[in-house]
Amino acid sequence: MTARSTNPFKPSAGSTPPLLIGRQPVIESIADSFDEGPGAPGRLTVFTGARGVGKTVMLNEVEEVANSRGWLTINETATTGLVARIEEHLTHLAEAREPRPRGRITGITLPLRLGAVSTEVTPELAVDVRRRLNSLLDELKRSGSGLLLTIDEVHAAARSELREVTTITQHLIREDREFALVMAGLPSAVSSLLSDDVLTFLRRADKQVLSDVPIDEVHDALSATIIANGRTIDEEAGHQAAEATGGYPFLVQLVGYHVWRSTAASHITLTSARDGITAARRRLGSLVHETALNDLSDVDRTFLMAMSPDPGPSRMRDILKRMGGVAPQYGNVYKNRLIDAGMIGSVAHGKVDYSLPYLRDFLREHGASLGLAPIKKVGNKKK
Ligand SMILES: Nc1ncnc2c1ncn2[C@@H]1O[C@H](COP(=O)(O)OP(=O)(O)O)[C@@H](O)[C@H]1O
Ligand SMILES: [Mg+2]
């Protein structure tokens, strides 16, 4: 077996990285809330941040914290049927805890992924879920444990389901139950959720905004992972690889992965590391940029294109001009939409900049082939 066969890096959505960079303080504070008892703030947490920043990974980490304390967990995604699936999980958990399975279900293995259930929530269903949760929590209390519910990819589509889950959670917390709810979603989804009038209770949640991790920690993690897996890397190569990630967690794994596979030798040279970095950046375009752009409206994309001629942060004034002289109010609407979508951020002096690394390069190179008009022809809405 060559060293090449076991690549330790994990460049895919939701996979636990070989080393979790920069998140220890957050994990520790949530771990503390599991120990502190009902009412501790971290027991109601919402992770938010751009695509690929590590939200799903954090949900997995919290799950591990819960399991290490003997808690049960239910992991779900916020799509239609959420409440019905929670009900199924609860049935499943209750049955698994019974000494003997009931006759009716003997011999049937319930699927672990309950993705097929997509029934919409009804009041009866919500009542039933609450009843089941209460009886499970009663039982867990006797053995000194509790229940963690994680909900990933929170977005507007499952609003009525999330309302039910929130209402139930509110009761459980008020009743001092050993229960925790941890959710994750893109900034736009989370901010619209937190501004929902019915969901005011969620504003109490501990909002954890995940952002890029420090480059020096990236450097240490990349080298440590390479060394722990039996190889070495040229010093300059290690620095260039760390720099190339921009501290963006997904790119850390992608660069690590391609740098590792750039050679079969046990020492990674600067030349092969550079090949790896190039390969990683190419993949980033199809894995992250294209997907992110697909989720946006035409005007959102035009706004992003209008930023691309600048070498760094863009002035709003220039963006408006390049969009064909649109009004500032109009530009601001799209600016705010893109901030919420985790695509851009405000920087000093009223300027905006891309949040995703290499998005500028991607738009310059591929904008036209993605159906985005070249910037000078953009927009014909003269004021
Ligand atoms: N703290 C971290 N350190 C190193 N790699 C990370 C970290 N967080 C996430 N990753 C990696 O980044 C990628 C994206 O993580 P994921 O949780 O799927 O992001 P999100 O859910 O925010 O889109 C995965 O390949 C994961 O292994
Ligand atoms: Mg995710």
Side-chain angles (χ1 to χ4, degrees):
M1 201 169 74
T2 64
R4 194 174 196 156
S5 62
T6 47
N7 195 321
F9 295 98
K10 304 281 179 224
S12 61
S15 18
T16 300
L19 283 174
L20 185 75
I21 307 168
R23 308 288 190 227
Q24 227 44 52
V26 179
I27 295 293
E28 273 161 27
S29 85
I30 292 179
D32 286 347
S33 359
F34 276 86
D35 300 333
E36 283 159 12
R43 287 187 177 202
L44 183 60
T45 293
V46 183
F47 290 115
T48 184
R51 196 183 304 275
V53 83
K55 299 179 293 297
T56 303
V57 162
M58 289 302 272
L59 292 181
N60 298 342
E61 293 293 318
V62 175
E63 186 188 355
E64 241 171 64
V65 166
N67 289 340
S68 73
R69 280 148 178 83
W71 281 40
L72 300 182
T73 51
I74 293 177
N75 303 313
E76 263 303 334
T77 303
T79 52
T80 309
L82 171 67
V83 181
R85 291 193 303 275
I86 292 175
E87 186 195 40
E88 290 226 358
H89 283 291
L90 290 168
T91 313
H92 192 55
L93 286 176
E95 276 162 3
R97 294 175 63 79
E98 275 173 17
R100 275 205 219 155
R102 268 181 256 138
R104 208 164 51 85
I105 61 141
T106 309
I108 297 173
T109 316
L110 283 175
L112 266 177
R113 279 228 43 91
L114 301 168
V117 182
S118 61
T119 328
E120 274 191 47
V121 63
T122 58
E124 296 74 32
L125 181 60
V127 167
D128 185 56
V129 164
R130 202 175 150 199
R131 187 182 55 76
R132 281 170 200 266
L133 268 171
N134 274 316
S135 85
L136 179 65
L137 289 168
D138 277 342
E139 211 195 300
L140 291 176
K141 192 176 180 181
R142 274 176 244 130
S143 54
S145 81
L147 180 72
L148 163 71
L149 172 61
T150 71
I151 302 178
D152 201 358
E153 282 163 48
V154 156
H155 62 81
R159 184 57 57 90
S160 60
E161 313 266 342
L162 289 169
R163 282 186 180 146
E164 290 302 343
V165 173
T166 305
T167 310
I168 295 169
T169 303
Q170 186 168 4
H171 286 295
L172 295 176
I173 289 184
R174 199 180 287 154
E175 291 157 8
D176 279 348
R177 295 299 204 155
E178 294 290 347
F179 179 78
L181 172 66
V182 181
M183 303 194 279
L186 290 172
S188 50
V190 167
S191 67
S192 103
L193 197 66
L194 297 185
S195 62
D196 185 307
D197 283 343
V198 183
L199 297 176
T200 49
F201 170 73
L202 272 189
R203 288 177 211 155
R204 278 208 235 159
D206 220 351
K207 188 167 142 195
Q208 296 283 352
V209 182
L210 301 175
S211 48
D212 291 346
V213 295
I215 303 286
D216 55 339
E217 291 183 37
V218 171
H219 173 265
D220 295 350
L222 285 176
S223 330
T225 305
I226 288 167
I227 291 165
N229 286 276
R231 298 172 82 178
T232 50
I233 183 163
D234 173 88
E235 196 182 323
E236 178 56 22
H239 286 293
Q240 292 197 9
E243 282 295 335
T245 69
Y248 176 54
F250 179 61
L251 199 48
V252 173
Q253 299 308 314
L254 203 59
V255 165
Y257 181 85
H258 286 282
V259 163
W260 178 276
R261 75 193 296 269
S262 64
T263 172
S266 68
H267 181 73
I268 303 167
T269 62
L270 181 57
T271 315
S272 40
R274 281 191 176 143
D275 291 344
I277 292 168
T278 308
R281 282 179 52 175
R282 207 174 303 130
R283 295 292 294 141
L284 184 72
S286 54
L287 292 169
V288 175
H289 297 143
E290 272 179 35
T291 326
L293 291 168
N294 269 336
D295 285 353
L296 303 172
S297 76
D298 286 346
V299 182
D300 290 331
R301 286 190 286 254
T302 304
F303 189 111
L304 292 174
M305 272 302 266
M307 291 167 63
S308 68
D310 296 315
S314 308
R315 294 188 305 178
M316 277 306 287
R317 212 193 315 156
D318 296 335
I319 297 173
L320 301 177
K321 210 186 311 158
R322 291 175 193 147
M323 286 176 81
V326 297
Q329 299 88 312
Y330 181 84
N332 273 330
V333 170
Y334 287 91
K335 173 180 132 186
N336 291 330
R337 278 170 55 92
L338 288 164
I339 291 176
D340 272 353
M343 298 299 292
I344 63 171
S346 273
V347 294
H349 311 300
K351 291 182 177 176
V352 291
D353 201 3
Y354 297 113
S355 300
L356 295 175
Y358 305 114
L359 183 58
R360 182 189 328 277
D361 310 68
F362 183 82
L363 288 168
R364 283 180 182 176
E365 253 176 76
H366 304 285
S369 66
L370 293 171
L372 293 171
I375 209 56
K376 279 183 202 99
K377 289 187 199 147
V378 158
N380 34 26
K381 297 192 187 70
K382 286 267 177 321
K383 262 206 288 191

